[in-house]
């Protein structure tokens, strides 16, 4: 690890912060890398290995990081509103002219006007849009249909439990919590603990404070089942839509323009 300005061991070592975010997310999502792999498989299958990508609600740029490692000739625009996670993303990809970041609120009707391109081959997002309620999410899908190029794709990997299977859902939830507790005993950080580290870091303290002013502890939203996403994407103007990956609690839904 490079020299930092922080007693936490991270500070301005942006790659270390990036990796610590990944570990924290994996505490909740042990199959996180699998959904990313399938997502990029479908990008390659449908739009090829040199896509122009919009990393939607990009956070620290986890999707962009994996995109560029797999497809070095890809370009990515990351968009988010979170100043702390964007600071990590911008620091991680500083000097990489394949990557641009935009600060925008996806609930703003005019957020797409801030993007550097009119259209994208692929719009990708993971574990983020459950922060929106169904009505604004449906409106967002309509906006995305307008910026995904013909033949391009939109993919959303997120919490999409099926309310028709309550016993299966409860068993899966109990098993996940047991695994999380075992990981915690091995030193894994949860959401609150990770943000506490960021709040105490000299570099990230200010953007973290601003982040909590924007979102609070956690935003409220909906987690409709995959069938809702498929139907809504088709209604928004995507020619085809279906689930291309699923776990007991999450799914990856793809819309093809």
């Amino acid at each position: 690890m490079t020299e930092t300005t922080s007693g936490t061991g991270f500070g301005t070592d942006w790659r270390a912060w990036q990796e610590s975010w990944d570990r924290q997310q994996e505490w909740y999502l042990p199959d996180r890398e699998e959904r990313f792999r399938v997502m990029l498989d479908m990008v390659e299958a449908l739009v090829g290995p040199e896509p122009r990508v919009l990393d939607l609600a990009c956070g620290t740029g986890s999707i962009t990081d994996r995109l560029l490692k797999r497809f070095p000739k890809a370009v990515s625009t990351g968009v988010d509103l979170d100043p702390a996670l964007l600071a990590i993303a911008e620091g991680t990809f500083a000097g990489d002219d394949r990557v641009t970041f935009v600060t925008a609120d996806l609930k703003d009707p005019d957020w797409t006007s801030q993007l550097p391109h009119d259209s994208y081959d692929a719009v990708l997002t993971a574990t983020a849009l459950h922060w929106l309620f169904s009505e604004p999410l449906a409106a967002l899908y309509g906006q995305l249909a307008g910026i995904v190029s013909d033949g391009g794709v939109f993919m959303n990997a997120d919490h999409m439990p099926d309310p028709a299977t309550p016993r299966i859902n409860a068993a899966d939830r109990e098993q996940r919590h047991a695994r999380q507790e075992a990981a915690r005993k091995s030193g894994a950080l949860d959401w609150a603990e990770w943000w506490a580290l960021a709040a105490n870091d000299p570099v990230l303290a200010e953007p973290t404070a601003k982040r909590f002013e924007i979102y609070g502890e956690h935003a409220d939203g909906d987690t409709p089942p995959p069938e809702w996403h498929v139907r809504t994407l088709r209604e928004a103007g995507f020619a085809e839509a279906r689930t291309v990956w699923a776990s007991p609690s999450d799914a990856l839904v793809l819309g093809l323009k």
Side-chain angles (χ1 to χ4, degrees):
M1 183 175 295
T2 60
E3 183 178 354
T4 71
T5 60
S6 168
T8 66
F10 298 117
T12 53
D13 185 339
W14 298 115
R15 178 55 63 179
W17 275 111
Q18 178 79 241
E19 291 174 358
S20 73
W21 175 260
D22 283 345
R23 300 294 84 74
Q24 179 260 130
Q25 288 288 285
E26 287 167 359
W27 188 74
Y28 297 96
L29 306 165
D31 47 24
R32 187 168 178 255
E33 292 302 325
E34 178 69 7
R35 70 190 70 194
F36 287 149
R37 182 192 64 78
V38 174
M39 181 180 283
L40 296 181
D41 281 351
M42 298 311 298
V43 167
E44 185 172 23
L46 290 165
V47 300
E50 300 181 22
R52 176 192 291 170
V53 172
L54 178 61
D55 186 350
L56 190 71
C58 65
T60 65
S62 296
I63 290 175
T64 293
D65 187 38
R66 287 150 182 81
L67 172 79
L68 297 180
K69 286 175 179 175
R70 178 159 170 177
F71 307 124
K73 294 184 179 180
V75 295
S76 178
T77 301
V79 59
D80 209 303
L81 187 61
D82 188 315
L85 298 185
L86 276 174
I88 295 170
E90 290 167 349
T92 299
F93 297 97
D96 191 333
D97 59 8
R98 298 171 297 176
V99 185
T100 304
F101 289 104
V102 173
T103 301
D105 186 348
L106 298 183
K107 291 182 287 187
D108 180 347
D110 297 321
W111 72 270
T112 58
S113 66
Q114 300 180 56
L115 299 176
H117 305 290
D118 294 331
S119 65
Y120 289 86
D121 302 312
V123 177
L124 309 177
T125 188
T127 327
L129 299 188
H130 64 273
W131 288 53
L132 298 176
F133 286 105
S134 297
E135 185 174 343
L137 180 55
L140 177 63
Y141 281 179
Q143 290 179 300
L144 296 176
I147 63 173
V148 173
S149 58
D150 289 342
V153 297
F154 164 70
M155 280 181 269
N156 178 16
D158 210 342
H159 308 311
M160 301 181 190
D162 187 343
T165 58
R167 289 187 296 166
I168 295 173
N169 297 347
D172 172 60
R173 185 166 53 250
E174 182 178 353
Q175 183 181 62
R176 282 188 287 111
H177 288 172
R179 288 174 175 170
Q180 288 172 347
E181 284 306 309
R184 183 191 292 278
K185 292 177 181 178
S186 299
L189 298 178
D190 65 13
W191 173 269
E193 291 165 333
W194 190 91
W195 281 109
L197 278 182
N200 287 318
D201 183 87
V203 177
L204 287 176
E206 183 176 351
T208 296
K210 290 179 180 178
R211 179 240 182 253
F212 281 97
E213 289 177 7
I214 295 170
Y215 294 109
E217 288 299 320
H218 200 287
D220 294 323
D222 291 334
T223 55
E227 292 77 10
W228 180 92
H229 293 270
V230 168
R231 181 181 70 252
T232 304
L233 286 170
R234 288 175 174 164
E235 291 171 351
F238 287 88
E240 299 179 16
R242 55 163 287 193
T243 299
V244 293
W245 174 89
S247 73
S249 60
D250 289 30
L252 171 59
V253 171
L254 182 153
L256 176 66
K257 188 73 181 297

